[in-house]
Amino acid sequence: QLVESGGGLVQPGGSLRLSCVASGSIFSVYTMGWYRQAPGKERELVASITSGGRINSGDFVKGRFTISRDNAKTTVSLEMNSLKPEDTAVYYCNADSELGPGNYWGKGTLVTVSS
């Protein structure tokens, strides 16, 4: 089970921190990721981090967002800075097993960037 938190309304240029707490499995062997889906658009990768700490991110991130994980707390976080209106979307937490089948999604948290 993945439970996201931290979404909300923020002004352009502002910051938000999203968190996702995982339960029910061995967190440390999963690649954890954040995806987003804006209205009328496909879901896209924001950033992911492997169990070994390798990070992959979408081109639009451009140093504005930082993903991190805490295996002891089974938590993955996304620090978002310099937010733009086009960052408005539902942000989803994802867990993808590195040992075989197993891919899970959270229910999502809405981020709205607007003045």
Side-chain angles (χ1 to χ4, degrees), residues 47-68:
S48 64
I49 182 168
T50 68
S51 61
R54 182 178 303 172
I55 292 173
N56 185 31
S57 59
D59 291 341
F60 59 86
V61 170
K62 295 181 180 178
R64 298 185 298 130
F65 299 173
T66 302
I67 190 171
S68 61

Side-chain angles (χ1 to χ4, degrees), residues 18-104:
L18 306 183
S19 294
C20 171
V21 180
S23 62
S25 189
I26 305 174
F27 178 85
S28 63
V29 298
Y30 281 76
T31 291
M32 301 300 299
W34 286 97
Y35 290 73
R36 70 184 188 182
Q37 187 166 19
K41 295 187 177 182
E42 294 186 352
R43 191 171 297 188
E44 62 181 350
L45 172 69
V46 178
S48 64
I49 182 168
T50 68
S51 61
R54 182 178 303 172
I55 292 173
N56 185 31
S57 59
D59 291 341
F60 59 86
V61 170
K62 295 181 180 178
R64 298 185 298 130
F65 299 173
T66 302
I67 190 171
S68 61
R69 66 188 292 162
D70 185 332
N71 288 343
K73 297 181 179 179
T74 64
T75 299
V76 60
S77 299
L78 183 70
E79 184 75 32
M80 303 187 293
N81 299 310
S82 302
L83 283 161
K84 305 174 182 179
E86 51 264 42
D87 294 318
T88 295
V90 178
Y91 284 70
Y92 296 91
C93 182
N94 176 263
D96 186 45
S97 174
E98 297 174 7
L99 300 181
N103 189 281
Y104 306 95

